[in-house]
């Protein structure tokens, strides 16, 4: 999965290293635990993305500045913040 940050920097992490995922509905967050990284996705309408992630479908996840939410091309979800540790 390729993760594109708001500044354009990208990081690729193989799905084979995905250990677990959490969807925190009230916080609009998805937390993905990889063997060497913890990825937190924050945004809107994330339930569909969580389902796709369980099936290892998304190839690229892009962060969009919240100012562009109304005009952003989406797949039903919007990611406004990505944190990789």
């Amino acid at each position: 999965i390729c993760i594109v940050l708001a500044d354009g920097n990208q990081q690729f992490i193989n799905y084979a290293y995905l250990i677990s995922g959490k969807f925190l509905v009230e916080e609009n967050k998805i937390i993905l635990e990889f063997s060497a990284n913890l990825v937190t996705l924050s945004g809107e309408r994330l339930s569909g993305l969580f389902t796709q992630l369980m099936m290892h479908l998304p190839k690229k996840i892009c962060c969009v500045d919240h100012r562009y939410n109304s005009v952003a091309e989406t797949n039903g979800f919007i990611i406004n913040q990505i944190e990789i540790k």
Side-chain angles (χ1 to χ4, degrees), residues 23-52:
F23 179 32
L24 306 173
V25 177
E26 291 183 13
E27 296 178 40
N28 291 317
K29 285 186 180 181
I30 294 175
I31 300 171
L32 302 172
E33 182 183 355
F34 292 90
S35 58
N37 301 93
L38 188 66
V39 178
T40 303
L41 309 171
S42 302
E44 299 179 13
R45 303 184 301 275
L46 299 180
S47 62
L49 174 59
F50 187 72
T51 301
Q52 291 177 24

Side-chain angles (χ1 to χ4, degrees), residues 41-74:
L41 309 171
S42 302
E44 299 179 13
R45 303 184 301 275
L46 299 180
S47 62
L49 174 59
F50 187 72
T51 301
Q52 291 177 24
L53 287 164
M54 285 190 297
M55 296 184 282
H56 298 188
L57 294 177
K59 301 298 181 203
K60 184 181 274 192
I61 295 178
C62 300
C63 187
V64 176
D65 189 294
H66 72 280
R67 296 177 291 174
Y68 304 111
N69 282 2
S70 62
V71 295
E73 291 184 29
T74 68

